[in-house]
Amino acid sequence: MSKKIICLFDVDGTLTEPRQPINPQIEKFLLETVKKEFDIAIVGGSDLSKIQEQLDGKNLFEKYKYVFAENGLIAFKDGKALPSQSIQDMLGEDNLQDFLNFVLRYISELKLPFKRGTFVEFRTGMMNISPVGRNCSKKEREQFYEYDNEHHIREKFIQALKKEFPDLALAYSIGGQISFDVFPIGWDKTYCLRHIQGYDEIHFFGDKTVEGGNDHEIYESNFTIGHRVTCPKDTVNQLKILMTLVKENREKEQLSVSMHCA
Ligand code: M1P
C-alpha cells in the first residue's frame, strides 16, 4: 500500500518572501498539483492574522489540512481549533513582568540608525521582540536586516536575556528579519507535531534550519523528513523532486505486486 504523506511548510522565506503575500503561481502549484498527491499543512512562527494576510486567508482552512500559527500553539485541523496554552500561564505573572521590564529597559538603551514602534508583540504562546519596532516600513525592515547582519543586535540581545534569566526555561529563535521570538523550551515548531496523526511520512520544508533559526528543531526532528530550502522557488523545485521520487516508488511497488501475483 502506498505511503500516506503530508507536506508541512514554514511560511516566511519558504512559501512567501518574508512577511509578503504568497506568489499566486506558487499557491496554484500547491493547491492544484501538490495537493493531488499529498495533504498539505503550514506552520508559521507568526500569529494567525499575519499568516492569513500572507496566504490569502479567505479560505485558509479549506486550503490546508492543518494550519499552525505561533509554532502550533494556535492550531487548526480541517478548520477546527485544537487545544492551546498560554505563555503567561507557563511563566507566571511575576517572571513575565521581570522579563518584559528588562526587555524594555534594554531597548530603551539601544542606539540604532532608526527606531519605530511596537517593540514587544505579546502573543498566545510566545513574545515577539523587535529592537527596531514592528511598525517599520518594508524598506526600513530590509535596512535593519542588513544592519543586524553586520552588528548582531538580535544575537547580542538574546545573549543578554540568557545571562539575565538563566533560570527561566525559555528558548529564543530568530525566524525573520526584524525580531526574535521567545517561548518556553519545547514550544518551538516541533510543538505542532503532536497534532499531526495518521501519516507514514511528514515532510517539513523550511529556510531557517540552522541552529538558532526557528525551523531548526522541526527540521532535525526524528518525526519529520526535513527539506532545507533557500526561497519559495526552491520549495517548488524540491516538491517536484519529491513528487517524482514518490511516483517512481509507487510504480516500483505496483510492479513488484503484479510480478508477485503473476
Ligand atoms: O515567520 C517567521 C517570523 O516572521 C516574523 O519575523 P520578522 O517580522 O522579524 O520578519 C515574526 O512574525 C516572527 O514571529 C516569525 O517567527
Side-chain angles (χ1 to χ4, degrees), residues 66-68 72-77 80-85 195-196:
Y66 294 90
V67 173
F68 298 119
L73 267 297
I74 300 293
F76 296 85
K77 181 184 179 188
K80 204 166 156 264
L82 301 170
S84 176
Q85 299 180 75
H195 295 304
I196 304 183

Side-chain angles (χ1 to χ4, degrees), residues 12 45-46 50 123 128 134 141 175-179 181 214:
D12 290 297
S46 290
K50 291 189 186 62
R123 302 177 181 165
N128 176 259
R134 297 207 59 81
R141 156 183 282 277
Q177 293 176 303
I178 56 160
S179 64
D181 298 326
N214 70 346

